[in-house]
C-alpha cells in the first residue's frame, strides 16, 4: 500500500496511467523518488499543483488502470483526463470543481468492498458507470452527473453494493440492476433522475435482494414525444412493497411502460400509460391529459 503522486517527467506532465506504466509517477509528495511499479488496487493516487510542468496537461487512462483512492485537487493548470480505456477504482474518488476536463467515453467501475465516497464535483460524466463491490457502500458528496440528454453514454449499473445518495441527485440516462446479488440504494430524501427516452430507463427486472431505504423517488424527466420509456421493477422476480420505488414522470407525451411500483405519479405527464401488468402498493395519480391503454 502506497501513495503515488503524478508529476512532470522528461519535461512534460502529459502521459499515460496504465497497469504497467511508471513514467510520471513518484512515491513522495516532493516528486524526488520515481516509482518502480504502476499503482495497484491498494494504492492511492494524487494529482495536484505539483503535477503539471507549468502548462496544461493530459493524462490518458491506459489499459488495466486501477487504484484505491483517486484525489485530484488544487490544480493550477487545466488537466484533461482522457478515458481511452476503462478504469477500476477500489476506494474513493475526489475531483475538483475547476481545471479538470474529460475526453473519451470509456467506463468507470467502483469496486470498493467497504464504505467510500464519491465527489465528482461537477465533472462532466458521459460514460458507463458500474458499481460492483460486495459489501461496498458509496456515499455521494455532490450531484452525480447532470440532467443533460446530450450525455448519451451516461448509464449506471449497480451489480453489488449500496449507493447512498446522501442528499444529492443521481442523474443518468438509464439505471440497471437486474440480478440477485445483495445491493441497493439509500435514497434518503433525494432521488434518481433518468432523462433517457425510447429505452429501458429503470431495468431492475430481477429485484431479488435489492434493498431500498429512505423515500425512493425515481424520476423520468424526458419532455418529448418519441418512443416508449420503460420502468421495469421485479417483473421477473423479487418485487415487494418494501423494495419497490416511486415513479414520478415529470413531463413528456410519449408512451410509458411502468411495472411494479410503490406510487406512480403522472400528475404533470400528458402521454399514454401502457397496459403492462403491474402491482401498485400505494397511489396512482393521473393528469387529465393521460391516455390509459385498454
Amino acid at each position: 500500500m502506497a501513495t503515488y503522486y503524478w508529476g512532470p517527467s522528461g519535461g512534460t506532465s502529459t502521459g499515460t496511467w496504465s497497469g504497467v506504466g511508471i513514467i510520471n509517477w513518484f512515491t513522495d509528495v516532493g516528486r524526488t523518488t520515481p516509482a518502480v511499479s504502476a499503482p495497484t488496487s491498494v494504492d492511492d493516487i494524487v494529482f495536484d499543483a505539483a503535477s503539471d510542468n507549468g502548462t496544461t496537461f493530459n493524462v490518458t487512462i491506459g489499459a488495466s488502470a486501477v487504484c484505491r483512492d483517486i484525489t485530484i485537487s488544487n490544480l493550477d493548470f487545466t488537466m484533461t483526463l482522457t478515458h481511452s480505456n476503462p478504469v477500476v477504482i477500489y476506494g474513493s474518488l475526489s475531483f475538483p470543481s475547476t481545471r479538470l476536463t474529460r475526453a473519451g467515453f470509456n467506463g468507470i467501475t467502483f469496486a470498493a468492498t467497504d464504505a467510500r465516497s464519491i465527489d465528482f464535483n461537477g465533472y462532466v460524466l458521459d460514460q458507463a458507470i458500474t458499481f460492483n463491490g460486495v459489501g461496498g457502500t458509496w456515499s455521494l458528496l455532490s450531484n452525480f452527473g447532470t440532467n443533460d440528454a446530450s450525455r448519451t453514454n451516461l448509464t449506471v449499473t449497480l451489480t453489488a453494493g449500496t449507493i447512498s445518495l446522501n442528499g444529492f441527485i443521481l442523474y443518468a440516462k438509464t439505471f440497471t440492476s437486474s440480478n440477485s446479488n445483495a445491493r441497493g440504494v439509500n435514497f434518503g430524501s433525494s432521488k434518481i433522475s433518468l432523462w433517457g427516452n425510447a429505452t429501458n430507463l429503470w431495468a431492475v427486472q430481477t429485484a431479488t435482494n435489492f434493498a431500498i431505504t429512505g423515500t425512493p423517488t425515481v424520476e423520468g424527466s424526458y419532455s418529448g414525444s418519441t418512443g416508449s420509456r420503460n420502468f421495469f421493477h421485479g417483473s421477473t422476480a423479487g418485487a415487494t412493497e418494501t423494495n419497490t420505488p416511486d415513479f414520478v414522470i415529470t413531463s413528456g407525451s410519449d408512451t410509458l411502460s411502468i411495472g411494479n411500483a410503490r406510487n406512480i405519479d403522472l400528475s404533470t405527464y400528458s402521454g399514454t400509460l401502457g397496459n403492462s401488468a403491474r402491482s401498485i402498493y400505494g397511489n396512482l395519480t393521473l393528469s387529465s391529459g393521460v391516455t390509459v391503454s385498454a
Side-chain angles (χ1 to χ4, degrees):
M1 181 186 304
T3 300
Y4 285 68
Y5 299 88
W6 186 271
S9 178
T12 178
S13 294
T14 291
T16 298
W17 163 29
S18 72
V20 295
I22 61 174
I23 296 175
N24 293 104
W25 289 118
F26 297 82
T27 55
D28 65 314
V29 69
R31 274 69 165 182
T32 60
T33 307
V36 296
S37 61
T40 71
S41 62
V42 299
D43 298 318
D44 300 335
I45 65 173
V46 174
F47 300 87
D48 58 18
S51 294
D52 65 78
N53 197 27
T55 187
T56 60
F57 64 107
N58 187 329
V59 176
T60 298
I61 298 176
S64 304
V66 297
C67 66
R68 189 176 64 170
D69 293 352
I70 174 172
T71 302
I72 304 177
S73 65
N74 301 318
L75 297 173
D76 52 3
F77 289 90
T78 297
M79 168 181 166
T80 299
L81 191 59
T82 299
H83 295 263
S84 295
N85 288 273
V87 59
V88 182
I89 298 170
Y90 289 86
S92 297
L93 176 146
S94 180
F95 282 2
S97 60
T98 60
R99 297 197 175 107
L100 179 64
T101 63
R102 175 197 58 81
F105 303 102
N106 269 280
I108 300 172
T109 295
F110 292 98
T113 56
D114 56 1
R116 296 290 174 169
S117 61
I118 296 173
D119 189 0
F120 277 112
N121 209 2
Y123 182 72
V124 176
L125 290 174
D126 195 7
Q127 52 256 113
I129 308 292
T130 299
F131 295 88
N132 187 13
V134 175
T137 299
W138 302 273
S139 295
L140 302 188
L141 300 182
S142 59
N143 286 344
F144 186 105
T146 56
N147 189 22
D148 184 350
S150 70
R151 310 300 177 193
T152 57
N153 300 289
L154 179 50
T155 61
V156 172
T157 299
L158 174 59
T159 303
T162 300
I163 302 170
S164 177
L165 300 185
N166 197 32
F168 298 98
I169 301 173
L170 189 156
Y171 293 102
K173 178 182 180 181
T174 63
F175 181 95
T176 300
S177 184
S178 186
N179 61 69
S180 298
N181 300 328
R183 70 220 190 277
V185 179
N186 181 352
F187 283 86
S189 59
S190 194
K191 65 185 177 181
I192 293 176
S193 183
L194 305 174
W195 41 255
N197 71 296
T199 189
N200 296 340
L201 273 70
W202 181 265
V204 189
Q205 292 88 333
T206 300
T208 304
N209 295 321
F210 185 87
I212 281 176
T213 56
T215 303
T217 301
V218 176
E219 176 184 84
S221 62
Y222 170 68
S223 60
S225 59
T226 303
S228 175
R229 280 179 287 174
N230 306 318
F231 297 82
F232 295 135
H233 189 89
S235 54
T236 300
T240 66
E241 182 173 2
T242 59
N243 81 347
T244 303
D246 300 341
F247 293 110
V248 180
I249 312 304
T250 61
S251 57
S253 56
D254 53 345
T255 299
L256 296 176
S257 179
I258 301 179
N260 303 310
R262 186 175 305 187
N263 299 293
I264 298 177
D265 184 350
L266 307 183
S267 59
T268 58
Y269 173 74
S270 59
T272 299
L273 177 62
N275 63 356
S276 55
R278 64 181 64 89
S279 293
I280 301 175
Y281 297 101
N283 300 318
L284 170 63
T285 306
L286 305 177
S287 76
S288 59
V290 173
T291 299
V292 180
S293 297

